[in-house]
Amino acid sequence: MEGRYLLAIETSCDETAVAICDRCELKIISHAVFSQIDLHALYGGVVPEIAARSHVEKIDFIVTKALNQAGLKLEQIDLFAVTVTPGLVGSLLVGISFAKGLAWSMKKPLLGIDHLEGHLFSSYLKEDGTICPIIYPALTLSMSGGHTALYFQEEADSYTVIGKTIDDAAGEAFDKVGKMLGLPYPGGPYIEKEAQSVGIKDFFNYPRVHLKDKPLHFSFSGLKTAVMYDMARRGFYDLTNFQCTPHITENDKKEVASSLLACIADICVATVERALMQHPQTKTICFVGGVACNSYIRSRLLELCQKRDMQFIVPRPLFCVDNAAMIAVVAHYKALKGELDTLELDALKR
Ligand code: KG4
Ligand code: ZN
């Protein structure tokens, strides 16, 4: 194997993250992150220009922090990897330019990594950062603020997207309803907290969208609209200024959050069950991406796996949200196959 230490950079959205992987020990030995959530919270969503500028300000510091945590000097890094797509182009360019600079000045190889492959292979990351392949065939449900997809993998090397969202991502549904309820950004964790406080029951029976002609695909945009009109009908929401009315109580908000979570969890379980009918040979189910931090959806999928005697894998929350450890995992296996890139690497290209 060529090269022991791999440094991976992830700047596709609103996290500046750097991880270092010891490829001999197959372990992530350091992981440093600067989260921009506080910068964007003011605006209720990610502002691309602010995101790119913040990456520029922080990347040097975060790379140094990761090196210090690992007790390594830059000269000891053997390989550099960076997320190249998908993401906000300005943000991606910061990471790519920085990684190119490092690879060029240290005269070391460079690898461009797909962010979604990163999430897909985050299921290899154990609690302590050890990298351990999963048992195949596997089904992976990947849900975040930017994407929603269902993958079937016969083997590690061959994956197929068998389902995806036709409009909004699952995380977006949480974030948009969170915004309607006046919760802080990003809404997902706050919706979960509100829902947990009333025991997660289905009060309002929001529609479980099931696309009959595309049974493994998702649609969350209609759900968000359905919640908005249902809230308006109950006098909770004013459609003229897109704000909650003074009539909505704290308890009403909890019931909306709870009903949304119950609905999305049902959609996840039902879609995975339909996928299993098409792929009965599946041995492992993985749940990855920021939404996989949700303990209620985790518990519902775990229940499904226990009933069918299948393995259920969900990374620790740090490795569910955007992180550089998952980029390092993909880069490690690409490097093993000799799939190195050149300094021609560019944002949004694979
Ligand atoms: O993977 P991620 O950090 O970034 C993207 O690639 O988009 O995912 C962020 C998304 C946000 O939409 C956030 O609301 C959602 O993950 N999220 C959650 C929870 N924690 C984060 N959604 C539901 N429940 C949670 N506990
Ligand atoms: Zn992501």
Side-chain angles (χ1 to χ4, degrees), residues 113-144:
I113 305 299
D114 183 305
H115 179 83
L116 300 183
E117 277 188 9
H119 279 299
L120 177 60
F121 286 93
S122 65
S123 55
Y124 281 25
L125 289 163
K126 298 271 177 217
E127 192 78 18
D128 66 351
T130 309
I131 299 168
C132 178
I134 60 166
I135 297 168
Y136 291 102
L139 263 181
T140 297
L141 178 61
S142 182
M143 290 182 149
S144 78

Side-chain angles (χ1 to χ4, degrees), residues 15 115 119 144-147 171-172 174-175 186-189 192 289-291 293-294 320-322:
E15 250 106 33
H115 179 83
H119 279 299
S144 78
H147 73 278
E172 239 176 309
F174 280 113
D175 297 343
E192 175 170 15
V291 177
C293 293
N294 191 289
C320 284
V321 294
D322 285 350

Side-chain angles (χ1 to χ4, degrees), residues 136-277:
Y136 291 102
L139 263 181
T140 297
L141 178 61
S142 182
M143 290 182 149
S144 78
H147 73 278
T148 295
L150 189 57
Y151 301 86
F152 178 70
Q153 273 174 296
E154 192 67 60
E155 292 291 341
D157 275 351
S158 62
Y159 68 84
T160 320
V161 179
I162 56 171
K164 59 183 181 190
T165 180
I166 60 159
D167 41 57
D168 289 356
E172 239 176 309
F174 280 113
D175 297 343
K176 286 180 177 168
V177 173
K179 202 169 178 179
M180 283 185 226
L181 293 174
L183 296 173
Y185 170 83
Y190 296 94
I191 294 263
E192 175 170 15
K193 208 162 147 226
E194 297 284 285
Q196 295 280 12
S197 73
V198 283
I200 311 182
K201 292 188 206 80
D202 188 13
F203 297 93
F204 302 136
N205 194 25
Y206 298 136
R208 273 73 175 151
V209 179
H210 170 199
L211 307 160
K212 292 269 178 338
D213 53 335
K214 292 179 186 154
L216 304 184
H217 283 35
F218 302 86
S219 168
F220 290 110
S221 147
L223 170 59
K224 164 202 71 191
T225 313
V227 173
M228 187 171 75
Y229 282 108
D230 188 74
M231 282 176 68
R233 207 169 43 80
R234 291 174 198 277
F236 297 166
Y237 198 70
D238 184 344
L239 290 171
T240 52
N241 64 6
F242 296 101
Q243 271 178 7
C244 284
T245 64
H247 308 299
I248 190 166
T249 65
E250 285 310 308
N251 200 58
D252 294 333
K253 289 187 183 179
K254 292 184 196 320
E255 292 185 358
V256 170
S258 181
S259 305
L260 178 77
L261 179 50
C263 176
I264 293 181
D266 279 358
I267 292 171
C268 292
V269 171
T271 313
V272 169
E273 277 176 338
R274 283 195 291 274
L276 285 173
M277 285 200 274

